[in-house]
Amino acid sequence: MISFIIIGRNVEHTIERCLNGVFNFIEVEKIDRSEVIYVDSDSYDRSLELASKTQARVLHLKGKLNAAIGRNVGAEHAKGDILFFIDGDMELLPGFLSDIVDESGKMKYPFCTGYCHTMLLHGPF
């Protein structure tokens, strides 16, 4: 089983695309055993609301937080034997699975990373 663990804080502008990308990835890659967990680090925007509208299990953390804490909490709640960590401002694209998992479903490497695509953003930051 693959556990997709997404972490984020104040990612209301990207979380829907991120989550939809993960669910699309699961469907296109025909992954029959998976779970999606979104770990929110005390967002004050609409991140939690938007994530809650999906099939992802949503965990809301409060207090002194960082990315490592979010990933560790997600890992503690995960049921999968493969943990797939994603940041809430990333998009997972179909085709990536064959780069990291062999024909038998085993990881090719002890860990892996993705590719960074730069996007132009319009408007004030």
Side-chain angles (χ1 to χ4, degrees), residues 66-82:
N66 60 40
I69 291 171
R71 287 185 187 97
N72 287 336
V73 168
E76 288 172 8
H77 286 85
K79 297 175 185 160
D81 51 341
I82 296 175

Side-chain angles (χ1 to χ4, degrees), residues 21-81:
V22 171
F23 286 113
N24 183 56
F25 181 86
I26 292 167
E27 183 179 326
V28 169
E29 297 290 350
K30 297 177 176 62
I31 300 171
D32 58 350
R33 296 188 53 231
S34 65
E35 65 178 343
V36 179
I37 301 169
Y38 171 64
V39 182
D40 185 87
S41 293
D42 206 14
S43 292
Y44 53 81
D45 66 1
R46 295 178 54 231
S47 299
L48 277 167
E49 173 190 339
L50 296 171
S52 295
K53 291 180 180 180
T54 71
Q55 296 175 342
R57 183 165 26 138
V58 177
L59 305 173
H60 183 194
L61 305 181
K62 292 185 176 275
K64 188 170 179 146
L65 303 166
N66 60 40
I69 291 171
R71 287 185 187 97
N72 287 336
V73 168
E76 288 172 8
H77 286 85
K79 297 175 185 160
D81 51 341

